[in-house]
Amino acid sequence: MSVDTQKPAAASKNAPSPEKTRREVNMLAGFGHAFLAVWALLIIAPLVWTFLASFKSNEEIFGDAWTMPGELRLDNWTRAWSEAHVGQYFLNSVFVVAVSTAGTMLLGAMAAYVLARYTFWGNRIIYYLFVSGLAFPVFLALVPLFFVVRNLGLLNSYLGLILVYIAYSLPFTVFFLAAFFKSLPNSVAEAATMDGASHTRLFFQVMMPMARSGLISITIFNVIGQWNQYLLPLALLQGEGAEKKWVLTQGIANISTSAGFDADWGGLFAALTMAILPMIVIYAIFQRQIQSGLTSGAVK
């Protein structure tokens, strides 16, 4: 009995060598690293420049923009916080974003959990109605939204702005968390049900801790998106006494436009830095927690 070894030999000649494959992988990895380095530079450089400009005078900013500040002018930060009322706008933003994010996460998590884990008539219809909200940009519905809020008597109020923030954040929250809740193991939920846990207790004490990493991820997106929102507060916070209720984006825009050619650019960049730093800190804190295992708490 003879064995034909010619075909495998021919096939082995056509197959790429391990060294060639390794070189190709290294080349692609090199291109990827170079692209990421350029992308990181494009993101980090403006942030660093804004931070340094917050300590410069107008002459230094419009002179050689890439020089280091001659001295740390902390009075730029003081003027921005007190004279330009950035401190008040900052506190307003913290209050609005904290309440609206909490409401978004509570309502979005409950809706996503029910749509992902329970089967009932109209489940898919309700889910697609939520997801369809992603197709409507803010500026498209700005005019009818203004009249709806005004007719409800909520114009120029934090309540109206918070409700609108929640409504616009729910579609992505439900879309993200519904897929996340589907990926959770059924064994833990079944064990809790057999132990006598109600639907409410099962959700709050079992499923939500298991979905912690997903909840933290979507919380980051909601906080950043609502913190940077400009069109909605601009349209809904207007009228008598609206200046005291402005959020940070409105206040910074007012600083840059009201002074004209005599703008305090050092104070403006200090205000921008105050708006940027909290988001960087929050993102860094939550990012470390996301790295924990999805079901590590349930296994333990």
Side-chain angles (χ1 to χ4, degrees):
M1 180 177 179
S2 62
V3 179
D4 187 5
T5 59
Q6 297 299 319
K7 292 183 178 180
S12 63
K13 290 181 180 179
N14 295 329
S17 63
E19 292 77 8
K20 183 178 180 181
T21 303
R22 191 178 299 110
R23 286 196 301 268
E24 292 177 353
V25 171
N26 291 336
M27 184 179 298
L28 292 175
F31 281 125
H33 292 160
F35 175 79
L36 290 176
V38 173
W39 178 77
L41 182 63
L42 293 175
I43 298 298
I44 295 174
L47 297 178
V48 173
W49 188 88
T50 301
F51 178 74
L52 294 177
S54 67
F55 298 103
K56 294 182 178 181
S57 63
N58 288 352
E59 291 75 15
E60 290 176 329
I61 293 175
F62 289 99
D64 190 352
W66 297 107
T67 58
M68 297 293 292
E71 59 179 306
L72 295 179
R73 295 179 175 84
L74 298 177
D75 57 308
N76 290 346
W77 291 62
T78 303
R79 291 196 309 275
W81 184 266
S82 57
E83 297 180 13
H85 308 293
V86 172
Q88 182 63 45
Y89 304 146
F90 184 91
L91 296 177
N92 294 343
S93 291
V94 169
F95 171 74
V96 171
V97 172
V99 177
S100 60
T101 301
T104 300
M105 295 308 301
L106 178 62
L107 298 176
M110 290 191 295
Y113 173 74
V114 172
L115 293 174
R117 310 287 297 195
Y118 293 87
T119 302
F120 55 90
W121 188 91
N123 181 297
R124 292 292 87 188
I125 297 176
I126 298 174
Y127 174 76
Y128 288 126
L129 285 175
F130 272 112
V131 175
S132 64
L134 296 172
F136 292 94
V138 174
F139 59 85
L140 186 64
L142 205 58
V143 174
L145 182 64
F146 171 83
F147 287 106
V148 169
V149 175
R150 190 188 66 174
N151 293 337
L152 292 175
L154 299 177
L155 193 65
N156 196 23
S157 68
Y158 288 140
L159 179 58
L161 183 61
I162 289 171
L163 292 178
V164 172
Y165 274 8
I166 293 175
Y168 266 94
S169 301
L170 276 178
F172 181 71
T173 303
V174 172
F175 171 75
F176 184 93
L177 291 180
F180 198 87
F181 278 120
K182 286 182 180 180
S183 66
L184 298 181
N186 293 324
S187 57
V188 179
E190 292 173 355
T193 303
M194 293 179 62
D195 289 340
S198 63
H199 294 290
T200 303
R201 185 179 179 185
L202 175 64
F203 172 68
F204 284 103
Q205 296 187 5
V206 178
M207 304 306 290
M208 284 194 70
M210 291 177 60
R212 182 179 61 179
S213 59
L215 293 172
I216 292 175
S217 299
I218 195 63
T219 298
I220 293 174
F221 286 111
N222 284 329
V223 169
I224 295 176
Q226 295 175 9
W227 183 270
N228 295 328
Q229 183 59 244
Y230 175 68
L231 286 177
L232 290 177
L234 181 66
L236 302 180
L237 293 180
Q238 54 179 278
E240 185 178 355
E243 294 81 3
K244 297 180 180 179
K245 301 178 182 179
W246 279 355
V247 295
L248 196 55
T249 51
Q250 289 177 282
I252 293 176
N254 182 68
I255 294 172
S256 63
T257 57
S258 62
F261 293 103
D262 296 328
D264 182 4
W265 293 100
L268 175 60
F269 284 115
L272 287 173
T273 305
M274 294 178 193
I276 294 171
L277 283 179
M279 295 300 99
I280 296 177
V281 173
I282 290 176
Y283 185 84
I285 293 174
F286 283 117
Q287 188 66 21
R288 289 195 296 269
Q289 298 182 16
I290 291 176
Q291 297 174 359
S292 60
L294 179 61
T295 58
S296 58
V299 174
K300 293 179 181 178

